[in-house]
Amino acid sequence: MNQITMTGMVLQTAPVGEYDRRVVILTKEQGKISAFARGARKPNSPLVGVVNPFTFGQFTLYAGRSSYTIQSVHVENYFSELRDDIIAAYYGFYFMEYAMYFTKEANDEREMLKLLYQTLKALTNPNIPNRLIRYVFELKALCINGQAPQVFQCTCCGSTGHSMVFSPRKGGLVCTECDGDVIDGMRLNNSTLYTLQYVENSKIEHLYTFIVKENVLDELGRLMERYNDLYVDKRFKSLEILETLL
């Protein structure tokens, strides 16, 4: 077996057998991988506590024929603040599950990994509303996956005129010349549209540097809910739990 080291974050962990864990890690080098943490459920195991969701660091693994086995972990961030705040924790679990849905094995997932890291950091900042973090994360994740809505011009004719509505079914903005068959058009506040454009255009490191007014936050929420309903074909258990807590 070959020993390799990867940088990544634990997305999910589950018990296997009497003492082991199966861990899903989003890595910089190999995308999403599955690995076994042998003996990780034994109290004296060096892997206890380092193969939990949110753990970010360097994973030393043995690559077998069909799976990886974790030998050791050098932790760079546990995001321990999230473990003391159940609401923030479930936002984090939702982001993990969302990333699980979109990412693939043997794929370049560096942008998604970076987005996850910056998003969890934002969750530890009390000055940024969790709802805003959620909508920014969802939109940027869709961008990374190539499913971002068109928020700069009409999806039908390419016009950049000012009078437009947002149609989730059309995949973004639609001008007055093309909106004859639009049945789900949303007239957006200028600040909402600017927020969408900023998120889509910005580097991940600059995403969580602003806040918005409550009416803009509500509008972003309605928009992202409708867009996710159409383009994300999955119900997330962590989100269902989160919604019962809010």
Side-chain angles (χ1 to χ4, degrees):
M1 293 190 292
N2 299 318
Q3 187 184 74
I4 58 175
T5 300
M6 299 188 199
T7 299
M9 181 180 290
V10 175
L11 299 181
Q12 186 182 79
T13 181
V16 175
E18 191 173 356
Y19 297 115
D20 303 339
R21 287 192 179 279
R22 179 181 176 274
V23 184
V24 179
I25 310 168
L26 186 60
T27 71
K28 178 180 176 181
E29 296 81 5
Q30 295 289 336
K32 184 171 64 180
I33 66 167
S34 294
F36 289 98
R38 307 292 184 189
R41 295 163 64 201
K42 294 180 179 179
N44 61 346
S45 170
L47 298 180
V48 169
V50 300
V51 290
N52 293 324
F54 309 144
T55 299
F56 177 86
Q58 306 290 322
F59 294 80
T60 300
L61 312 103
Y62 286 117
R65 291 183 178 180
S66 58
S67 65
Y68 293 98
T69 299
I70 300 172
Q71 182 187 30
S72 63
V73 183
H74 174 70
V75 177
E76 296 183 16
N77 201 333
Y78 283 106
F79 293 99
S80 57
E81 302 95 329
L82 302 184
R83 306 178 198 280
D84 300 324
D85 182 341
I86 190 170
I87 300 296
Y90 269 98
Y91 270 104
F93 290 140
Y94 170 54
F95 301 147
M96 299 287 108
E97 197 176 354
Y98 205 90
M100 279 276 293
Y101 173 76
F102 278 114
T103 53
K104 300 177 177 64
E105 295 182 12
N107 197 42
D108 185 352
E109 303 290 1
R110 285 175 291 182
E111 288 295 285
M112 188 66 82
L113 178 61
K114 188 188 299 185
L115 176 62
L116 272 176
Y117 188 87
Q118 294 296 332
T119 301
L120 295 186
K121 279 183 64 178
L123 276 177
T124 67
N125 184 343
N127 297 315
I128 307 175
N130 289 339
R131 288 173 62 205
L132 179 59
I133 294 169
R134 171 187 168 180
Y135 305 144
V136 170
F137 170 81
E138 290 172 343
L139 179 56
K140 199 63 174 181
L142 288 165
C143 291
I144 292 170
N145 200 52
Q147 293 178 278
Q150 171 56 260
V151 296
F152 295 94
Q153 62 187 37
C154 175
T155 59
C156 300
C157 70
S159 167
T160 56
H162 294 293
S163 183
M164 299 202 192
V165 295
F166 184 91
S167 167
R169 291 185 181 277
K170 293 286 187 179
L173 297 177
V174 182
C175 71
T176 54
E177 298 295 319
C178 302
D179 67 358
D181 61 343
V182 171
I183 60 174
D184 63 342
M186 302 172 62
R187 187 76 58 184
L188 298 182
N189 184 295
N190 287 338
S191 295
T192 304
L193 180 58
Y194 176 76
T195 300
L196 295 170
Q197 292 172 341
Y198 179 84
V199 171
E200 291 199 12
N201 256 357
S202 292
K203 293 182 178 179
I204 290 170
E205 295 87 343
H206 300 154
L207 285 178
Y208 301 108
T209 56
F210 67 94
I211 58 174
V212 297
K213 293 182 178 179
E214 196 69 21
N215 65 316
V216 174
L217 194 56
D218 290 341
E219 201 164 71
L220 285 171
R222 290 192 296 272
L223 185 152
M224 291 309 304
E225 181 179 9
R226 295 182 191 179
Y227 203 82
N228 275 316
D229 284 346
L230 283 171
Y231 299 103
V232 181
D233 187 25
K234 180 177 173 60
R235 285 295 299 169
F236 298 100
K237 292 181 180 179
S238 51
L239 181 59
E240 292 175 354
I241 296 172
L242 176 62
E243 288 173 343
T244 68
L245 298 173
L246 295 175

